[in-house]
Amino acid sequence: MAKVLDEEGRDLLYRKARTHNVWLPRAVDDALLREAYDLAKWGPTSANMCPLRIVFVKSREAKEKLRPCLDAGNVDKTMAAPVTAVLGMDVHFYEKLPKLFPQADAKAWFKDLPAPILEYIALRNSSLQGAYFMLAARAVGLDCGPMSGFDNAKVDAAFFAGTSVKSNFLCNLGHGDPAKVYPRNPRLEFEEACKLV
Ligand SMILES: Cc1cc2nc3c(=O)[nH]c(=O)nc-3n(C[C@H](O)[C@H](O)[C@H](O)COP(=O)(O)O)c2cc1C
């Protein structure tokens, strides 16, 4: 019989996991970030293209580079978080396809597509990988605080200048203060969001 995740695991990843805005002063070991990535990398992407690229912003100097890119409401919590992951996407993801999808010339499927299409494909797949990453972070005991309230062009200039990587979203990482989360908002029920046809 196939194994399934027990109730405790389901709570850890989904039911009891919250978006955090207040961080406990507990450092995050680099090994934990590696552990989270090493789980997240196994999530599926189109043609195994893996467009996600992550910069983990930890140092005071790097945090100060991030500060002017943030919407006002995201500044204090991001400055206080032990780590902020800048989740980016390589819009020239096809360059890695000879390694990632060696059974076919997959690079040829994508390399001449117009830039907006490449960006669309990279956005879809890096967003999936970003979600895999957040669940992986929870699986290794970290809390997440994802954010899209920032200036993408400024983040790209600060962290991805001279590359084919563009920012997708940010995610604060650390140990959240469980006493300082908002009341949980509802989700759509199965009947509201799904159809069986
Ligand atoms: C892609 C994304 C972007 C978000 N952007 C922001 C943001 O800029 N600022 C913020 O305070 N919260 C942001 N959030 C947090 C959401 O409001 C929060 O995850 C959602 O309300 C669910 O909260 P819960 O996980 O505690 O149930 C973002 C979440 C996601 C997934």
Side-chain angles (χ1 to χ4, degrees):
M1 199 178 88
K3 286 191 175 158
V4 297
L5 198 62
D6 64 16
E7 294 300 321
E8 211 180 339
R10 294 176 193 198
D11 279 346
L12 178 73
L13 297 187
Y14 293 98
R15 288 185 297 235
K16 292 196 176 157
R18 296 298 314 278
T19 295
H20 282 269
N21 295 300
V22 181
W23 301 97
L24 298 172
R26 264 177 76 187
V28 171
D29 202 89
D30 290 353
L32 216 47
L33 301 174
R34 189 173 286 271
E35 223 179 296
Y37 178 77
D38 281 340
L39 285 175
K41 72 185 181 189
W42 296 112
T45 53
S46 315
N48 198 33
M49 60 178 54
C50 303
L52 180 69
R53 306 288 181 266
I54 307 176
V55 175
F56 292 107
V57 176
K58 293 189 74 183
S59 68
R60 195 35 48 196
E61 188 192 354
K63 279 288 185 81
E64 289 304 328
K65 259 171 81 176
L66 190 55
R67 183 194 288 273
C69 311
L70 300 168
D71 285 4
N74 287 332
V75 171
D76 289 348
K77 59 189 172 192
T78 302
M79 290 302 130
V83 182
T84 305
V86 181
L87 294 113
M89 55 183 180
D90 189 350
V91 296
H92 293 171
F93 56 82
Y94 51 78
E95 295 292 354
K96 300 255 189 253
L97 285 173
K99 167 185 172 153
L100 295 170
F101 202 81
Q103 62 271 47
D105 183 11
K107 180 175 173 178
W109 303 339
F110 298 100
K111 71 178 175 48
D112 298 319
L113 292 175
I117 305 283
L118 286 172
E119 191 160 330
Y120 172 82
I121 294 169
L123 182 67
R124 168 185 284 167
N125 285 283
S126 66
S127 298
L128 284 168
Q129 287 189 285
Y132 305 144
F133 177 78
M134 289 195 286
L135 291 171
R138 289 171 172 179
V140 302
L142 290 171
D143 291 310
C144 298
M147 294 170 291
S148 53
F150 66 96
D151 184 319
N152 288 76
K154 284 186 184 167
V155 167
D156 294 353
F159 294 96
F160 300 125
T163 76
S164 50
V165 179
K166 292 179 173 213
S167 52
N168 183 343
F169 70 99
L170 308 178
C171 187
N172 288 329
L173 296 164
H175 300 95
D177 185 341
K180 304 241 172 72
V181 289
Y182 299 115
R184 180 78 132 170
N185 281 330
R187 301 300 202 258
L188 297 179
E189 298 305 330
F190 184 90
E191 290 70 23
E192 296 175 281
C194 311
K195 260 186 199 165
L196 293 166
V197 295

mmCIF file of all heavy atoms in Angstrom, residues 3-39:
data_model
loop_
_atom_site.group_PDB
_atom_site.id
_atom_site.type_symbol
_atom_site.label_atom_id
_atom_site.label_comp_id
_atom_site.label_asym_id
_atom_site.label_seq_id
_atom_site.Cartn_x
_atom_site.Cartn_y
_atom_site.Cartn_z
ATOM 1 N N LYS A 3 2.315 4.745 0.923
ATOM 2 C CA LYS A 3 2.345 5.467 2.190
ATOM 3 C C LYS A 3 1.703 6.841 2.002
ATOM 4 O O LYS A 3 1.789 7.418 0.929
ATOM 5 C CB LYS A 3 3.791 5.646 2.638
ATOM 6 C CG LYS A 3 4.387 4.376 3.163
ATOM 7 C CD LYS A 3 5.704 4.651 3.843
ATOM 8 C CE LYS A 3 6.217 3.365 4.468
ATOM 9 N NZ LYS A 3 7.652 3.383 4.691
ATOM 10 N N VAL A 4 1.078 7.337 3.043
ATOM 11 C CA VAL A 4 0.533 8.702 2.980
ATOM 12 C C VAL A 4 1.080 9.502 4.156
ATOM 13 O O VAL A 4 1.516 8.929 5.166
ATOM 14 C CB VAL A 4 -1.018 8.721 3.011
ATOM 15 C CG1 VAL A 4 -1.592 8.026 1.788
ATOM 16 C CG2 VAL A 4 -1.555 8.105 4.290
ATOM 17 N N LEU A 5 1.051 10.805 4.013
ATOM 18 C CA LEU A 5 1.515 11.681 5.080
ATOM 19 C C LEU A 5 0.518 11.611 6.242
ATOM 20 O O LEU A 5 -0.692 11.708 6.020
ATOM 21 C CB LEU A 5 1.568 13.107 4.525
ATOM 22 C CG LEU A 5 2.395 14.139 5.257
ATOM 23 C CD1 LEU A 5 3.875 13.731 5.274
ATOM 24 C CD2 LEU A 5 2.241 15.490 4.558
ATOM 25 N N ASP A 6 1.037 11.457 7.469
ATOM 26 C CA ASP A 6 0.114 11.351 8.607
ATOM 27 C C ASP A 6 -0.475 12.727 8.951
ATOM 28 O O ASP A 6 -0.095 13.748 8.384
ATOM 29 C CB ASP A 6 0.800 10.685 9.811
ATOM 30 C CG ASP A 6 1.964 11.509 10.353
ATOM 31 O OD1 ASP A 6 2.071 12.714 10.016
ATOM 32 O OD2 ASP A 6 2.782 10.954 11.104
ATOM 33 N N GLU A 7 -1.409 12.723 9.891
ATOM 34 C CA GLU A 7 -2.136 13.960 10.228
ATOM 35 C C GLU A 7 -1.187 15.059 10.707
ATOM 36 O O GLU A 7 -1.366 16.228 10.407
ATOM 37 C CB GLU A 7 -3.205 13.679 11.301
ATOM 38 C CG GLU A 7 -4.329 12.765 10.816
ATOM 39 C CD GLU A 7 -5.095 13.344 9.631
ATOM 40 O OE1 GLU A 7 -5.347 14.559 9.602
ATOM 41 O OE2 GLU A 7 -5.419 12.567 8.710
ATOM 42 N N GLU A 8 -0.161 14.644 11.452
ATOM 43 C CA GLU A 8 0.814 15.615 11.969
ATOM 44 C C GLU A 8 1.546 16.301 10.810
ATOM 45 O O GLU A 8 1.763 17.512 10.805
ATOM 46 C CB GLU A 8 1.817 14.873 12.855
ATOM 47 C CG GLU A 8 2.373 15.686 13.972
ATOM 48 C CD GLU A 8 3.364 14.863 14.807
ATOM 49 O OE1 GLU A 8 3.309 13.618 14.772
ATOM 50 O OE2 GLU A 8 4.195 15.487 15.461
ATOM 51 N N GLY A 9 1.920 15.493 9.826
ATOM 52 C CA GLY A 9 2.603 16.040 8.650
ATOM 53 C C GLY A 9 1.696 16.971 7.865
ATOM 54 O O GLY A 9 2.121 18.024 7.387
ATOM 55 N N ARG A 10 0.423 16.602 7.754
ATOM 56 C CA ARG A 10 -0.538 17.446 7.030
ATOM 57 C C ARG A 10 -0.747 18.773 7.760
ATOM 58 O O ARG A 10 -0.886 19.828 7.135
ATOM 59 C CB ARG A 10 -1.873 16.705 6.882
ATOM 60 C CG ARG A 10 -1.744 15.485 5.985
ATOM 61 C CD ARG A 10 -3.034 14.702 5.921
ATOM 62 N NE ARG A 10 -2.798 13.399 5.313
ATOM 63 C CZ ARG A 10 -3.751 12.622 4.805
ATOM 64 N NH1 ARG A 10 -5.000 13.020 4.831
ATOM 65 N NH2 ARG A 10 -3.451 11.456 4.275
ATOM 66 N N ASP A 11 -0.745 18.723 9.105
ATOM 67 C CA ASP A 11 -0.844 19.961 9.888
ATOM 68 C C ASP A 11 0.376 20.836 9.658
ATOM 69 O O ASP A 11 0.259 22.049 9.475
ATOM 70 C CB ASP A 11 -0.938 19.640 11.389
ATOM 71 C CG ASP A 11 -2.349 19.255 11.821
ATOM 72 O OD1 ASP A 11 -3.294 19.489 11.037
ATOM 73 O OD2 ASP A 11 -2.483 18.716 12.933
ATOM 74 N N LEU A 12 1.560 20.191 9.683
ATOM 75 C CA LEU A 12 2.810 20.945 9.552
ATOM 76 C C LEU A 12 2.887 21.676 8.210
ATOM 77 O O LEU A 12 3.308 22.827 8.134
ATOM 78 C CB LEU A 12 4.009 19.983 9.686
ATOM 79 C CG LEU A 12 5.389 20.614 9.525
ATOM 80 C CD1 LEU A 12 5.740 21.463 10.750
ATOM 81 C CD2 LEU A 12 6.457 19.542 9.312
ATOM 82 N N LEU A 13 2.478 20.998 7.149
ATOM 83 C CA LEU A 13 2.617 21.596 5.819
ATOM 84 C C LEU A 13 1.459 22.511 5.462
ATOM 85 O O LEU A 13 1.650 23.479 4.711
ATOM 86 C CB LEU A 13 2.722 20.501 4.747
ATOM 87 C CG LEU A 13 3.928 19.581 4.823
ATOM 88 C CD1 LEU A 13 3.966 18.682 3.599
ATOM 89 C CD2 LEU A 13 5.220 20.368 4.909
ATOM 90 N N TYR A 14 0.273 22.203 5.945
ATOM 91 C CA TYR A 14 -0.924 22.918 5.492
ATOM 92 C C TYR A 14 -1.778 23.494 6.615
ATOM 93 O O TYR A 14 -1.903 24.717 6.731
ATOM 94 C CB TYR A 14 -1.800 21.989 4.624
ATOM 95 C CG TYR A 14 -1.151 21.625 3.307
ATOM 96 C CD1 TYR A 14 -0.471 20.417 3.165
ATOM 97 C CD2 TYR A 14 -1.222 22.487 2.218
ATOM 98 C CE1 TYR A 14 0.136 20.084 1.960
ATOM 99 C CE2 TYR A 14 -0.620 22.159 1.008
ATOM 100 C CZ TYR A 14 0.056 20.955 0.884
ATOM 101 O OH TYR A 14 0.663 20.633 -0.295
ATOM 102 N N ARG A 15 -2.409 22.626 7.410
ATOM 103 C CA ARG A 15 -3.498 23.108 8.255
ATOM 104 C C ARG A 15 -3.043 24.036 9.364
ATOM 105 O O ARG A 15 -3.745 24.973 9.718
ATOM 106 C CB ARG A 15 -4.275 21.914 8.836
ATOM 107 C CG ARG A 15 -5.123 21.213 7.773
ATOM 108 C CD ARG A 15 -5.979 20.121 8.387
ATOM 109 N NE ARG A 15 -5.175 19.071 8.973
ATOM 110 C CZ ARG A 15 -5.296 17.761 8.660
ATOM 111 N NH1 ARG A 15 -6.207 17.370 7.782
ATOM 112 N NH2 ARG A 15 -4.534 16.866 9.236
ATOM 113 N N LYS A 16 -1.879 23.766 9.921
ATOM 114 C CA LYS A 16 -1.421 24.636 11.020
ATOM 115 C C LYS A 16 -0.334 25.599 10.574
ATOM 116 O O LYS A 16 0.168 26.391 11.370
ATOM 117 C CB LYS A 16 -0.951 23.786 12.205
ATOM 118 C CG LYS A 16 -2.116 23.062 12.853
ATOM 119 C CD LYS A 16 -1.803 22.515 14.225
ATOM 120 C CE LYS A 16 -3.052 21.897 14.835
ATOM 121 N NZ LYS A 16 -2.757 20.905 15.867
ATOM 122 N N ALA A 17 0.074 25.517 9.327
ATOM 123 C CA ALA A 17 1.124 26.421 8.837
ATOM 124 C C ALA A 17 0.497 27.764 8.502
ATOM 125 O O ALA A 17 -0.536 27.819 7.854
ATOM 126 C CB ALA A 17 1.770 25.818 7.596
ATOM 127 N N ARG A 18 1.135 28.827 8.971
ATOM 128 C CA ARG A 18 0.611 30.173 8.749
ATOM 129 C C ARG A 18 1.643 31.040 8.040
ATOM 130 O O ARG A 18 2.830 30.751 8.047
ATOM 131 C CB ARG A 18 0.273 30.821 10.116
ATOM 132 C CG ARG A 18 -0.830 30.099 10.882
ATOM 133 C CD ARG A 18 -2.149 30.095 10.126
ATOM 134 N NE ARG A 18 -2.504 31.383 9.565
ATOM 135 C CZ ARG A 18 -3.085 32.381 10.239
ATOM 136 N NH1 ARG A 18 -3.403 32.221 11.505
ATOM 137 N NH2 ARG A 18 -3.366 33.529 9.645
ATOM 138 N N THR A 19 1.136 32.097 7.425
ATOM 139 C CA THR A 19 2.012 33.126 6.880
ATOM 140 C C THR A 19 2.469 33.993 8.055
ATOM 141 O O THR A 19 1.628 34.438 8.843
ATOM 142 C CB THR A 19 1.233 33.972 5.860
ATOM 143 O OG1 THR A 19 0.880 33.126 4.772
ATOM 144 C CG2 THR A 19 2.061 35.152 5.372
ATOM 145 N N HIS A 20 3.776 34.210 8.174
ATOM 146 C CA HIS A 20 4.297 34.936 9.338
ATOM 147 C C HIS A 20 4.801 36.334 8.992
ATOM 148 O O HIS A 20 5.423 36.541 7.948
ATOM 149 C CB HIS A 20 5.401 34.118 10.013
ATOM 150 C CG HIS A 20 4.840 33.005 10.841
ATOM 151 N ND1 HIS A 20 4.542 33.134 12.170
ATOM 152 C CD2 HIS A 20 4.460 31.746 10.489
ATOM 153 C CE1 HIS A 20 4.013 32.003 12.628
ATOM 154 N NE2 HIS A 20 3.961 31.145 11.621
ATOM 155 N N ASN A 21 4.514 37.249 9.923
ATOM 156 C CA ASN A 21 4.945 38.647 9.777
ATOM 157 C C ASN A 21 5.831 39.099 10.924
ATOM 158 O O ASN A 21 6.437 40.164 10.858
ATOM 159 C CB ASN A 21 3.716 39.568 9.723
ATOM 160 C CG ASN A 21 2.877 39.293 8.490
ATOM 161 O OD1 ASN A 21 3.357 39.426 7.377
ATOM 162 N ND2 ASN A 21 1.633 38.893 8.693
ATOM 163 N N VAL A 22 5.878 38.301 11.993
ATOM 164 C CA VAL A 22 6.694 38.656 13.171
ATOM 165 C C VAL A 22 7.642 37.492 13.439
ATOM 166 O O VAL A 22 7.210 36.332 13.539
ATOM 167 C CB VAL A 22 5.794 38.928 14.409
ATOM 168 C CG1 VAL A 22 6.655 39.326 15.608
ATOM 169 C CG2 VAL A 22 4.765 40.027 14.104
ATOM 170 N N TRP A 23 8.930 37.816 13.546
ATOM 171 C CA TRP A 23 9.970 36.783 13.590
ATOM 172 C C TRP A 23 10.653 36.723 14.938
ATOM 173 O O TRP A 23 10.998 37.750 15.511
ATOM 174 C CB TRP A 23 11.003 37.058 12.485
ATOM 175 C CG TRP A 23 10.307 37.057 11.155
ATOM 176 C CD1 TRP A 23 9.867 38.151 10.460
ATOM 177 C CD2 TRP A 23 9.899 35.905 10.413
ATOM 178 N NE1 TRP A 23 9.217 37.738 9.320
ATOM 179 C CE2 TRP A 23 9.220 36.380 9.258
ATOM 180 C CE3 TRP A 23 10.032 34.532 10.598
ATOM 181 C CZ2 TRP A 23 8.673 35.512 8.310
ATOM 182 C CZ3 TRP A 23 9.492 33.672 9.657
ATOM 183 C CH2 TRP A 23 8.828 34.159 8.526
ATOM 184 N N LEU A 24 10.850 35.509 15.431
ATOM 185 C CA LEU A 24 11.604 35.322 16.665
ATOM 186 C C LEU A 24 13.084 35.527 16.359
ATOM 187 O O LEU A 24 13.534 35.223 15.245
ATOM 188 C CB LEU A 24 11.366 33.901 17.210
ATOM 189 C CG LEU A 24 9.921 33.570 17.576
ATOM 190 C CD1 LEU A 24 9.767 32.085 17.923
ATOM 191 C CD2 LEU A 24 9.442 34.440 18.739
ATOM 192 N N PRO A 25 13.845 36.032 17.332
ATOM 193 C CA PRO A 25 15.277 36.267 17.079
ATOM 194 C C PRO A 25 16.088 34.977 17.118
ATOM 195 O O PRO A 25 16.933 34.787 17.989
ATOM 196 C CB PRO A 25 15.670 37.234 18.212
ATOM 197 C CG PRO A 25 14.694 36.955 19.305
ATOM 198 C CD PRO A 25 13.425 36.458 18.681
ATOM 199 N N ARG A 26 15.802 34.084 16.196
ATOM 200 C CA ARG A 26 16.508 32.787 16.106
ATOM 201 C C ARG A 26 17.145 32.691 14.741
ATOM 202 O O ARG A 26 16.449 32.789 13.720
ATOM 203 C CB ARG A 26 15.509 31.628 16.243
ATOM 204 C CG ARG A 26 15.386 31.056 17.635
ATOM 205 C CD ARG A 26 14.327 29.971 17.659
ATOM 206 N NE ARG A 26 14.788 28.718 17.065
ATOM 207 C CZ ARG A 26 13.996 27.664 16.849
ATOM 208 N NH1 ARG A 26 12.710 27.725 17.149
ATOM 209 N NH2 ARG A 26 14.474 26.562 16.323
ATOM 210 N N ALA A 27 18.445 32.478 14.707
ATOM 211 C CA ALA A 27 19.159 32.415 13.424
ATOM 212 C C ALA A 27 18.731 31.179 12.639
ATOM 213 O O ALA A 27 18.250 30.194 13.211
ATOM 214 C CB ALA A 27 20.657 32.383 13.680
ATOM 215 N N VAL A 28 18.896 31.247 11.341
ATOM 216 C CA VAL A 28 18.597 30.109 10.461
ATOM 217 C C VAL A 28 19.920 29.615 9.879
ATOM 218 O O VAL A 28 20.634 30.375 9.217
ATOM 219 C CB VAL A 28 17.634 30.522 9.329
ATOM 220 C CG1 VAL A 28 17.499 29.418 8.300
ATOM 221 C CG2 VAL A 28 16.273 30.892 9.908
ATOM 222 N N ASP A 29 20.219 28.377 10.146
ATOM 223 C CA ASP A 29 21.455 27.802 9.647
ATOM 224 C C ASP A 29 21.392 27.634 8.123
ATOM 225 O O ASP A 29 20.361 27.222 7.585
ATOM 226 C CB ASP A 29 21.633 26.427 10.310
ATOM 227 C CG ASP A 29 23.079 26.008 10.290
ATOM 228 O OD1 ASP A 29 23.788 26.355 11.241
ATOM 229 O OD2 ASP A 29 23.476 25.346 9.300
ATOM 230 N N ASP A 30 22.508 27.925 7.449
ATOM 231 C CA ASP A 30 22.538 27.755 5.984
ATOM 232 C C ASP A 30 22.172 26.324 5.583
ATOM 233 O O ASP A 30 21.593 26.102 4.524
ATOM 234 C CB ASP A 30 23.928 28.074 5.437
ATOM 235 C CG ASP A 30 24.243 29.561 5.525
ATOM 236 O OD1 ASP A 30 23.340 30.341 5.882
ATOM 237 O OD2 ASP A 30 25.400 29.933 5.237
ATOM 238 N N ALA A 31 22.546 25.363 6.431
ATOM 239 C CA ALA A 31 22.274 23.955 6.109
ATOM 240 C C ALA A 31 20.773 23.697 5.948
ATOM 241 O O ALA A 31 20.358 22.863 5.145
ATOM 242 C CB ALA A 31 22.845 23.051 7.196
ATOM 243 N N LEU A 32 19.963 24.445 6.695
ATOM 244 C CA LEU A 32 18.511 24.290 6.624
ATOM 245 C C LEU A 32 17.975 24.816 5.289
ATOM 246 O O LEU A 32 17.034 24.255 4.714
ATOM 247 C CB LEU A 32 17.887 25.054 7.794
ATOM 248 C CG LEU A 32 16.659 24.492 8.485
ATOM 249 C CD1 LEU A 32 16.783 23.023 8.811
ATOM 250 C CD2 LEU A 32 16.362 25.307 9.737
ATOM 251 N N LEU A 33 18.573 25.891 4.800
ATOM 252 C CA LEU A 33 18.158 26.455 3.505
ATOM 253 C C LEU A 33 18.495 25.465 2.393
ATOM 254 O O LEU A 33 17.717 25.249 1.462
ATOM 255 C CB LEU A 33 18.858 27.798 3.262
ATOM 256 C CG LEU A 33 18.590 28.861 4.330
ATOM 257 C CD1 LEU A 33 19.441 30.101 4.071
ATOM 258 C CD2 LEU A 33 17.102 29.227 4.374
ATOM 259 N N ARG A 34 19.657 24.846 2.525
ATOM 260 C CA ARG A 34 20.089 23.839 1.547
ATOM 261 C C ARG A 34 19.148 22.625 1.587
ATOM 262 O O ARG A 34 18.748 22.100 0.555
ATOM 263 C CB ARG A 34 21.526 23.424 1.889
ATOM 264 C CG ARG A 34 22.215 22.557 0.878
ATOM 265 C CD ARG A 34 23.670 22.381 1.254
ATOM 266 N NE ARG A 34 24.445 23.586 0.985
ATOM 267 C CZ ARG A 34 25.037 23.842 -0.165
ATOM 268 N NH1 ARG A 34 24.953 22.988 -1.169
ATOM 269 N NH2 ARG A 34 25.729 24.942 -0.337
ATOM 270 N N GLU A 35 18.794 22.226 2.826
ATOM 271 C CA GLU A 35 17.890 21.085 3.001
ATOM 272 C C GLU A 35 16.537 21.365 2.336
ATOM 273 O O GLU A 35 15.965 20.507 1.665
ATOM 274 C CB GLU A 35 17.668 20.879 4.507
ATOM 275 C CG GLU A 35 17.692 19.452 4.985
ATOM 276 C CD GLU A 35 17.479 19.405 6.495
ATOM 277 O OE1 GLU A 35 18.323 19.921 7.262
ATOM 278 O OE2 GLU A 35 16.450 18.872 6.906
ATOM 279 N N ALA A 36 16.042 22.583 2.536
ATOM 280 C CA ALA A 36 14.748 22.964 1.937
ATOM 281 C C ALA A 36 14.864 22.953 0.410
ATOM 282 O O ALA A 36 14.002 22.401 -0.282
ATOM 283 C CB ALA A 36 14.311 24.334 2.434
ATOM 284 N N TYR A 37 15.942 23.535 -0.120
ATOM 285 C CA TYR A 37 16.096 23.538 -1.591
ATOM 286 C C TYR A 37 16.205 22.110 -2.122
ATOM 287 O O TYR A 37 15.622 21.771 -3.156
ATOM 288 C CB TYR A 37 17.307 24.375 -2.039
ATOM 289 C CG TYR A 37 17.422 24.275 -3.546
ATOM 290 C CD1 TYR A 37 16.579 25.008 -4.363
ATOM 291 C CD2 TYR A 37 18.294 23.352 -4.139
ATOM 292 C CE1 TYR A 37 16.596 24.851 -5.747
ATOM 293 C CE2 TYR A 37 18.314 23.179 -5.521
ATOM 294 C CZ TYR A 37 17.465 23.937 -6.311
ATOM 295 O OH TYR A 37 17.472 23.763 -7.676
ATOM 296 N N ASP A 38 16.955 21.287 -1.399
ATOM 297 C CA ASP A 38 17.191 19.914 -1.874
ATOM 298 C C ASP A 38 15.920 19.060 -1.868
ATOM 299 O O ASP A 38 15.877 18.028 -2.539
ATOM 300 C CB ASP A 38 18.314 19.247 -1.070
ATOM 301 C CG ASP A 38 19.691 19.701 -1.550
ATOM 302 O OD1 ASP A 38 19.784 20.205 -2.699
ATOM 303 O OD2 ASP A 38 20.666 19.576 -0.795
ATOM 304 N N LEU A 39 14.909 19.479 -1.117
ATOM 305 C CA LEU A 39 13.589 18.841 -1.247
ATOM 306 C C LEU A 39 12.809 19.474 -2.394
ATOM 307 O O LEU A 39 12.249 18.789 -3.247
ATOM 308 C CB LEU A 39 12.786 19.022 0.052
ATOM 309 C CG LEU A 39 13.150 18.181 1.250
ATOM 310 C CD1 LEU A 39 12.305 18.612 2.450
ATOM 311 C CD2 LEU A 39 12.914 16.703 0.949
#
